[in-house]
Amino acid sequence: MITGAGRSDTQPKAGNRVDYFISYTGADLAWAEWIAWQLEATGHTTLIQAWDFGPGAHFVTEMHRASQAAERTIAVLSTAYQRSDHAEAEWQAAWGANPSGEMRRLLVFRVEDCDRPRLLRQLVTVDLFGLDHDAARDQLLAATANQRRKPAKSPAFPAISTEPGGSVAPPRFPSSRPPGAVRVGDADPRRLGVHPAISVAGVPDDAPPEYVLRDVDTAEFGVRARLRAAAGRGGFVLLVGGSSVGKTRCAYEALGALPADWWLVHPAGPREVAALVGRVPGRTVVWLDEIQRHLDGENGLTGGTVRALLAAPGPVVIVGTLWPGRYATYTALPSGGADPRAREREVLDLADVVRVAPDFSAAEQTRAEKAAAGDRRLRVALDSRGYGLTQTLAAAPHLVARWDDAKTAHPYAWAVLTAALDAARLGALRAPLPADLLRRAAVDYCTPRQQAEAPAGWFEQALDYATRTLHGATAALTPVASGSMGQVAGYTVADYLFQHVTAVRRFDRVPASTWSALVEHVNDAADCTRLADSALARLLYGIAIPLYRTAADAGDIHASARLADVLAERRDLDGLRRRADTGDSFAAHTLDRLFVDDLVERGDLDELRRRPHLDLGYAMRRLADVLAERGDLDELRRRADTGDPFAAQQLTDVLAEEDFDELCRQARSGNNPYAAMSLAKINIDHYDRYDDDTLRAFIEGMGDGHALLLLRRRTINRIDDLDELRRWTDDGNTYAAQRLADVLAERGDLDELRRWVDAGYLYVGERLASLLAKRGGSVEADRLRRFGFNPDGSIASGSQ
């Protein structure tokens, strides 16, 4: 038997208490053993399946005994863990009461960047991934320490004095230079992301226009106030505003509130941010302009990394910027089921948000007029019509005009530009778009005649038009260097034009040439996953599958899980078997589940009883479901008595319906660890019985998140006006999208349902299929559910 430091070579004896039961899946064995070893090296006792469940042991029984014997349970959380029914039973058991009547503590350690089940979001989660050995060990031991973490020395006095000019003079901390840092006083605004301004004769291009003080700069809880507060204790300040509204310049000017000798680091991506943990001294700014670049992808920024940075010895200030639409997308609460944005929301919840308005107030306009007397670029911008001052300074009107005019004057350039913009709005955001992708994608944006008459060099001429700098400020497409002189890796689209076209073309169907080019030429795993999600939302399964496959083969576990789900939806057993044969555990588990579901449909309970191991206990769970549906309490009790956690859960659910007093007694006694969980579930499920005033009382008195979600859903579900529902949906409300789809389906509006599917709203496709079936097209509806659409809008078939 493997033994750890300080561990006896024999199992803990039955009935002995241990400090920790390590709950994990086979995919995370290495992490589980490492955690157990570190804990035992510091004198703790642990129970872990790999070391303590002997040969021939009944796994479910041993697991149940282990969870009962431990004072605390550690959940080693990963995507694989969340798909395991046994693991779910283990962490749920930790919510029950121990024999002394106290609540057993559940500790959650994430070992990969993954979502958390709803109940686990109520607990503080510690991230171990993305850290080196020592940092991860420190995180582990700090989270499991029983004693107070009082420092050995008195902390520095936290008072902040304000120097002349409003700058902050916090306590002095070591000034060693972080990797790649510059002094705040030496920071270059262009390198930090401030847009270059339009060119005006007689004014040097390299000098930024005079800054016009914004109301949000000096407000009580504005940018500079937030920054000063963060400078004293550490903090995360996030400016939310549209493209070219001046949020990055606003953040840059606010740095003047800090002493010039502070350090500033500008990480290239989330890996570089994580690498700063433990290496950043106090008095450092971490600059995360366009923070979505750090949030997106399989290794995106995590809440654990942000908290670790803010826990540095001295104050660390994180400054970020983000568009409102993306902020709404990242922070929207799920309407049920999976929570794909939990990681991003956890990061953004740590920020103090300051919103930068797109338009100038009257006071700001007055200040701008005064400043324009000495700055000709401001004068030109103020004299423009139809755009705000900051947008005009960044050449936004010229960008939009460049794209609009191209459709008639330069159709091939319009095709290339629109293909690039569509690719970006679908999710190709991280890697630059290769020239070959743009050449291939542009085809279907041209008419058949334009395709036939395309002159030699049409693509090069189109690129020349699209990349030409406008008024010295920006270009619609910007080339990205490959690292070699004279070599271009690809192109990125201008932010403002991207934002404009995303709104203008959201209902426009992306042509087949673009989807084909994306499948052929995009290799970045994060981009592939985003693009596949966009395809899936539009029911383009034939596009989503190869994109998910590319991302999964590159190691993106989220793509692997989604790919298995899509293949299962299409009933593509051969595809699942091929994935399983290559070692894809998600495909293997999905095959198991499909087999189990087939047994349930056939009513073959004997085979279910013989196959308890399928998909880590999915067969046991489904068997318990069937027994509960049939009211077979005798077998449920027998199975629960032998340690079947799913039978115990179903038994408590039946008691909840038939003998509530008995359920309460079992919860108090601690004999049934699922009874307390069942009571919590009943509390959540029964919110539907409360009126709105009661729900508001829960929200006001207890900050009850479940009551808030239910009240919001009720508000939306009472709306029948389509225009109002469209406005809510445009604001990113997922309940409104579902309600809008329901109302459109009730009214039989196939055309608008199709428009919302083309716009990528995930909830609409099922309503569309249901409406087709209702109209007598059951075969067509079944094909749509199984195979989705082709890019041209026709329903796909199994042969495609």
Side-chain angles (χ1 to χ4, degrees), residues 134-169:
D134 292 343
R137 182 177 181 275
D138 290 345
Q139 289 269 58
L140 171 70
L141 297 183
T144 55
N146 290 318
Q147 66 271 26
R148 296 170 65 201
R149 287 173 282 178
K150 180 180 178 180
K153 297 181 180 180
S154 171
F157 180 58
I160 303 174
S161 61
T162 303
E163 297 178 341
S167 62
V168 175

Side-chain angles (χ1 to χ4, degrees), residues 142-434:
T144 55
N146 290 318
Q147 66 271 26
R148 296 170 65 201
R149 287 173 282 178
K150 180 180 178 180
K153 297 181 180 180
S154 171
F157 180 58
I160 303 174
S161 61
T162 303
E163 297 178 341
S167 62
V168 175
R172 290 285 174 178
F173 291 91
S175 58
S176 58
R177 179 175 180 170
V182 298
R183 295 292 186 185
V184 162
D186 298 328
D188 183 341
R190 290 283 294 275
R191 294 184 180 181
L192 295 182
V194 175
H195 286 298
I198 56 174
S199 294
V200 173
V203 180
D205 288 339
D206 57 348
E210 182 176 344
Y211 182 64
V212 177
L213 193 71
R214 304 296 300 269
D215 294 342
V216 76
D217 287 322
T218 55
E220 181 180 3
F221 300 106
V223 178
R224 299 182 185 187
R226 295 287 193 187
L227 204 61
R228 280 193 290 269
R233 52 177 169 74
F236 178 11
V237 181
L238 179 69
L239 286 75
V240 175
S243 175
S244 302
V245 302
K247 58 186 181 298
T248 305
R249 179 75 187 273
C250 180
Y252 168 75
E253 295 293 336
L255 292 178
L258 302 174
D261 65 344
W262 271 52
W263 291 113
L264 183 145
V265 290
H266 189 187
R271 292 182 185 274
E272 289 76 13
V273 178
L276 293 173
V277 174
R279 303 175 68 188
V280 177
R283 300 166 59 80
T284 299
V285 175
V286 179
W287 188 265
L288 302 180
D289 184 50
E290 302 292 353
I291 198 172
Q292 73 275 1
R293 299 170 184 167
H294 301 275
L295 290 173
D296 287 337
E298 68 277 13
N299 296 306
L301 186 64
T302 69
T305 296
V306 172
R307 286 189 291 270
L309 286 172
L310 298 180
V316 168
V317 176
I318 301 172
V319 178
T321 64
L322 188 62
W323 292 354
R326 285 175 174 158
Y327 182 82
T329 298
Y330 289 141
T331 57
L333 292 167
S335 57
D339 187 359
R341 295 298 188 182
R343 172 173 55 80
E344 293 92 337
R345 191 166 59 254
E346 182 183 12
V347 171
L348 298 181
D349 283 347
L350 296 170
D352 291 319
V353 176
V354 179
R355 297 188 178 274
V356 182
D359 301 318
F360 271 29
S361 68
E364 290 169 338
Q365 195 73 20
T366 300
R367 290 193 288 269
E369 290 285 350
K370 183 177 181 181
D375 192 312
R376 278 189 283 168
R377 281 176 296 186
L378 290 178
R379 185 72 267 158
V380 169
L382 285 171
D383 290 342
S384 299
R385 294 290 180 264
Y387 291 85
L389 180 143
T390 56
Q391 291 93 336
T392 303
L393 284 174
H398 307 289
L399 282 170
V400 174
R402 191 75 169 169
W403 177 67
D404 281 337
D405 295 344
K407 188 162 189 178
T408 53
H410 302 276
Y412 302 109
W414 184 87
V416 170
L417 254 179
T418 309
L421 290 160
D422 277 352
R425 71 186 180 93
L426 291 173
L429 297 170
R430 192 162 74 169
L433 300 169

Side-chain angles (χ1 to χ4, degrees), residues 682-694:
I682 288 170
N683 187 39
I684 293 169
D685 290 347
H686 286 199
Y687 277 123
D688 281 318
R689 300 182 182 181
Y690 300 133
D691 59 28
D692 289 359
D693 289 338
T694 304

Side-chain angles (χ1 to χ4, degrees), residues 617-638:
Y618 183 65
M620 295 174 64
R621 178 176 180 174
R622 295 293 282 123
L623 176 59
D625 292 343
V626 174
L627 292 174
E629 290 170 5
R630 295 184 176 185
D632 192 343
L633 299 188
D634 290 338
E635 185 169 353
L636 279 176
R637 287 192 180 94
R638 287 196 301 273

